[in-house]
Amino acid sequence: MRICALRPRAEKAGRGLISEAETLAKSLSDLLAWEKVKRRREIFSSVCCYSLLGALVLLPFHVWLPNVSRGWTPLVIFLLLSPVLFFQQRWRKEDSARALARLDRALRLDERAVTAWEILPREKQSGPETFVVTQAAERLRGLEPKTLFERQLSWRDYSILPLGAFWLALFWLGVGSPVNGGNQMPRTVALAHQLREFSRDLQDTAQREGLSESLKMGRELEKTAQKGIEQNSSDEKFKNELAALANKLDAMRKPTAAQQPRAVGESDQTLKDLKAELQAARELLNAPEGANRSGDLDQNMLQRLSLLPQLQKQFDQAGPAFNQDTVKSFLDKLDKEVTGEMDRRTLLEAQQFLDRLMKDGQGEKSDTDAQVAGRQQRDSPTDGDRAQTRSNLPGKEPGKKEGVQPLPDFPAGAPAHVKGMIGEGGSNGLVFKAKPSAGKTEIPQEEVLANYRRQAEAELNTERVPAELKETIRNYFLSLRPGEGNR
Amino acid sequence: MQAAGTIEDRMQGARRSFDTLKAELARVIVGHTELIEQLFIALICGGHCLLEGVPGLGKTLIVRSLGEILSLTFSRIQFTPDLMPADITGTNVLTDDPSGRKIFDFQRGPVFAHIVLADEINRATPKTQSALLEAMQEQSVTVGGKLHRLENPFMVLATQNPIEMEGTYPLPEAQVDRFFFKLLLHYPNREELARIADLTTAPPPAPLREILDTAGILQMREWVREVPLADLVKDYAVRLVLATHAHSEPANGGPALVQKFVHYGSSPRGLQSVILAAKARALLAGRPNVSFEDIRVMVAPSLRHRLILNLEADAEGIGADKILAELLQQVPEVP
């Protein structure tokens, strides 16, 4: 009778224990799930904060960083950092124990929760262990982890917004962007821009100087540049086009043997002067008073033409006896030659520019925008560049090997003087004026005496001369008078 | 599996018994509540205690009262330099049997009691001390080649006077380690002193009532070992014991004082003592499991005599209690 009455109670008690264990397990798993969510949020906010901090630190150095747009830097850091932090701060078993210990402390459970959490997975539980589970379940009934352990905002959470705003402000102000405004155009487009700039300058010069070939080439260059800008063609293709243009230029600027102009050796400035003088001469000749009936140039006209120095030089080279017709034809011919030479030089300049552009395209040091804009003003020769001097301009004859100066011919038996070559560094010398030989240069005797006195003074200022003798020596040199030496 | 109700009854019963015991002892002993609790814990854990305190603080009274209240036999041995091992363990004496023949009869020594008070244990020679310490460890004595079992429960409470060290034989470290607890008796405060005066100068109080019998104590000894202990809490105790070693890993949180003043840290017996005492404390508090607080409270009595300090600590007056207090502050409960 008594056993029968106790059985339902025991079963009820058993069911009660099972349900309490389940309740406790659910409460604890809810708590741990909430803690995991909090952890993930913390990691996320940390990653955000560190990404923004990193982006802020890197902002001024963006020019030197790999080719990533400044706007993407926080995202890139975020993507790099998040796997590391999420792995490093992943949820471990000790974290669960920590969370439960915190629960025990918060609810003053005297480590019942953490003990029950360890007991729960055991299949066989002793009486005291079951009692711990029961007590923990009772205490944790109705546990609201989200209320009990509200999410605490850390300094990282608070700093995200200000950091983001600060970064946006700096980004907007363009901190760290390149000088050209950050428009990092592709290399081909940049080269095409340079080429177009140059071609326009070239056309201006050609039009001004009346250089037909250069004008034609300038237009062609502009067309190629425009194509490069609009089509954004590949590096290789653009370089091929440049090479083709360079070849074409090379072919255009080579004069035939018959076309060898007489102004080949002249400098740019001389050619310009000559061109201007030719223009002036033509105007003079075309003027009503410029010609007489007999076709000979009158004396006045010749005098006026002789005032033009470059032209006079050409006349001198051509020879005497010019009448008006021969002068005109000479001037026409000369004008044609000068224009042709100037054209040739402009084309050479264009070819050199193209060569340089192609080198730039291969990753060498490129011209800056300022250099492109001021193309007319050539830089002084620098390391690795050849100077645009007369010596390396195209000449009439093939050049000789430089560096080793050939020795002059020495006639046998005759005294010879070899002029030394002054190299780099300073030099020291003392000029002595010796007594001239008969029939040659003579130096005035006063000058020789003055020179002696200077040397004597210099020696007297040293310690080589005894102090007691200095006065005597000085007096001697002062007493020397011109003409005394002859006596 | 025992029903939860039975376990709850057990917990409540243990707690009630202990509360009653404290209340009954409070009739004759003034103060020393902490000491009484620690003595009872050592008793239900099956350990022995080393009491240290100046004379006249009531050591003997406490031990005798405890014996009375628990209906346990009590004996007191005053250790002196001329005390022999046989004076403790007992000896075979020649007697006549009823038929008139001469036989050896074993006369049991004072060690054959439930609670033995070894007063001023450091005054006896090491040989005599060893006789007692062997009995403590084995819970038996061998006399004349015959093994004699000691009482169960058996508890030795040895006292030391910390101020009169002349002519003493300090206990070797290995023997001190066999004591479950080392308890310190503090001088009573003003109110306690006034109450002591009242109690001792008034008519003697009514005899103490028996609270717990031998069977009850043995039962409690079993219950103590069943108290669940979470791995996290156990790990805390382990880290604390490890941190007493000067050359322990820094991760264990060994404080600077340990590095500087501790020559040898606690033995594994120290950890056993801490955990078992924490379990007993939880049981007496009516709690089904061990808490961090139990571990913290039991660290000092369990470990203070197990730390071997160097000469520098002696010179600077640094005691084991100070080092342990620092250690409790440094080592976190959850790593």
Side-chain angles (χ1 to χ4, degrees), chain A residues 17 93-94 97-98 101 105 109-112 114-115 118-119 122 125-132 134-135, chain B residues 1-2 4 7-8 10-11 226-233 286-293 333-335:
Chain A
L17 283 177
K93 197 183 169 190
E94 302 86 68
R98 262 187 225 116
R105 237 189 334 265
L109 294 176
D110 292 322
E111 282 64 64
R112 278 185 182 85
V114 74
T115 312
E118 284 180 12
I119 291 168
R122 289 178 198 163
Q125 294 171 0
S126 66
E129 284 175 347
T130 312
F131 188 57
V132 174
T134 312
Q135 281 208 337
Chain B
M1 192 179 81
Q2 288 163 287
I7 302 299
E8 194 174 0
R10 175 201 293 184
M11 299 284 168
E226 287 179 14
V227 174
L229 169 72
D231 285 346
L232 192 70
V233 181
R287 203 166 349 96
N289 63 293
V290 179
S291 69
F292 288 124
E293 179 66 14
E333 290 172 353
V334 184

Side-chain angles (χ1 to χ4, degrees), chain A residues 145-315:
Chain A
K146 290 181 186 176
T147 321
L148 188 64
F149 297 111
E150 283 182 2
R151 192 170 169 244
Q152 304 285 323
L153 294 177
S154 67
W155 66 269
R156 287 180 291 271
D157 297 293
Y158 289 113
S159 64
I160 289 172
L161 272 179
L163 282 176
F166 187 48
W167 179 80
L168 275 174
L170 292 181
F171 181 74
W172 182 72
L173 289 169
V175 174
S177 60
V179 180
N180 62 3
N183 299 324
Q184 294 254 341
M185 55 183 104
R187 189 183 291 273
T188 312
V189 179
L191 293 177
H193 273 285
Q194 287 183 31
L195 182 63
R196 190 173 67 178
E197 200 72 23
F198 178 77
S199 69
R200 284 175 182 171
D201 291 345
L202 184 67
Q203 286 176 62
D204 287 349
T205 313
Q207 269 177 348
R208 199 169 52 246
E209 306 288 347
L211 312 174
S212 59
E213 291 294 318
S214 299
L215 187 63
K216 209 161 79 185
M217 184 43 70
R219 283 178 187 146
E220 206 160 333
L221 288 177
E222 189 176 2
K223 207 190 290 178
T224 309
Q226 200 61 37
K227 206 166 120 193
I229 293 167
E230 285 166 4
Q231 294 180 357
N232 195 6
S233 48
S234 68
D235 263 15
E236 199 57 38
K237 195 179 166 191
F238 189 66
K239 263 186 266 173
N240 288 341
E241 284 175 8
L242 291 182
L245 280 172
N247 288 338
K248 197 173 175 183
L249 275 169
D250 197 33
M252 280 170 76
R253 73 177 177 78
K254 273 181 187 163
T256 58
Q259 288 172 334
Q260 282 291 345
R262 69 185 71 207
V264 160
E266 303 295 346
S267 68
D268 284 357
Q269 190 55 47
T270 312
L271 282 178
K272 280 182 184 172
D273 293 348
L274 189 56
K275 179 112 178 140
E277 287 177 17
L278 280 168
Q279 184 66 28
R282 196 171 285 118
E283 282 169 9
L284 202 64
L285 288 172
N286 290 340
E289 69 276 17
N292 59 21
R293 284 189 191 100
S294 64
D296 290 335
L297 291 171
D298 63 5
Q299 199 59 35
N300 184 32
M301 186 64 69
L302 277 174
Q303 221 168 12
R304 288 173 70 177
L305 281 175
S306 69
L307 289 173
L308 303 169
Q310 298 297 339
L311 200 55
Q312 183 60 40
K313 208 167 114 189
Q314 296 298 328
F315 280 136

Side-chain angles (χ1 to χ4, degrees), chain B residues 272-286:
Chain B
Q272 292 164 15
S273 173
V274 170
I275 289 177
L276 207 54
K279 284 184 171 190
R281 186 174 184 270
L283 179 74
L284 296 183

Side-chain angles (χ1 to χ4, degrees), chain A residues 237-481:
Chain A
K237 195 179 166 191
F238 189 66
K239 263 186 266 173
N240 288 341
E241 284 175 8
L242 291 182
L245 280 172
N247 288 338
K248 197 173 175 183
L249 275 169
D250 197 33
M252 280 170 76
R253 73 177 177 78
K254 273 181 187 163
T256 58
Q259 288 172 334
Q260 282 291 345
R262 69 185 71 207
V264 160
E266 303 295 346
S267 68
D268 284 357
Q269 190 55 47
T270 312
L271 282 178
K272 280 182 184 172
D273 293 348
L274 189 56
K275 179 112 178 140
E277 287 177 17
L278 280 168
Q279 184 66 28
R282 196 171 285 118
E283 282 169 9
L284 202 64
L285 288 172
N286 290 340
E289 69 276 17
N292 59 21
R293 284 189 191 100
S294 64
D296 290 335
L297 291 171
D298 63 5
Q299 199 59 35
N300 184 32
M301 186 64 69
L302 277 174
Q303 221 168 12
R304 288 173 70 177
L305 281 175
S306 69
L307 289 173
L308 303 169
Q310 298 297 339
L311 200 55
Q312 183 60 40
K313 208 167 114 189
Q314 296 298 328
F315 280 136
D316 291 346
Q317 284 176 5
F322 278 105
N323 59 26
Q324 191 165 6
D325 292 338
T326 52
V327 165
K328 274 190 176 172
S329 65
F330 177 76
L331 289 181
D332 287 345
K333 193 181 167 194
L334 193 60
D335 188 34
K336 212 169 172 179
E337 283 177 1
V338 169
T339 308
E341 178 59 19
M342 284 175 77
D343 220 358
R344 201 168 70 86
R345 290 186 185 185
T346 314
L347 289 174
L348 174 69
E349 204 177 313
Q351 193 189 1
Q352 284 171 347
F353 174 77
L354 282 180
D355 289 344
R356 211 163 41 241
L357 209 59
M358 282 191 285
K359 275 186 198 168
D360 288 351
Q362 285 164 359
E364 291 187 3
K365 189 187 167 191
S366 64
D367 289 343
T368 61
D369 290 352
Q371 280 174 314
V372 172
R375 181 69 63 191
Q376 297 286 50
Q377 304 296 321
R378 309 302 298 170
D379 286 345
S380 60
T382 53
D383 294 343
D385 288 337
R386 288 182 68 191
Q388 295 290 318
T389 60
R390 191 187 170 112
S391 60
N392 62 9
L393 285 173
K396 287 177 186 171
E397 290 172 8
K400 287 179 184 173
K401 194 178 177 187
E402 288 178 3
V404 182
Q405 204 166 7
L407 290 171
D409 294 331
F410 299 110
H417 299 275
V418 179
K419 191 182 176 188
M421 291 173 69
I422 296 174
E424 288 182 0
S427 63
N428 236 333
L430 187 64
V431 179
F432 286 100
K433 290 186 177 177
K435 193 174 179 181
S437 57
K440 291 194 177 174
T441 319
E442 196 171 68
I443 300 167
Q445 205 173 13
E446 291 83 4
E447 199 177 319
V448 173
L449 290 175
N451 194 16
Y452 283 169
R453 282 195 203 103
R454 266 200 304 277
Q455 287 182 47
E457 278 301 320
E459 284 298 314
L460 286 169
N461 286 334
T462 65
E463 289 179 357
R464 280 182 290 188
V465 182
E468 58 272 18
L469 293 175
K470 279 184 181 177
E471 195 57 39
T472 314
I473 293 167
R474 188 175 285 114
N475 289 338
Y476 167 72
F477 278 101
L478 287 173
S479 68
L480 290 176
R481 292 284 179 269

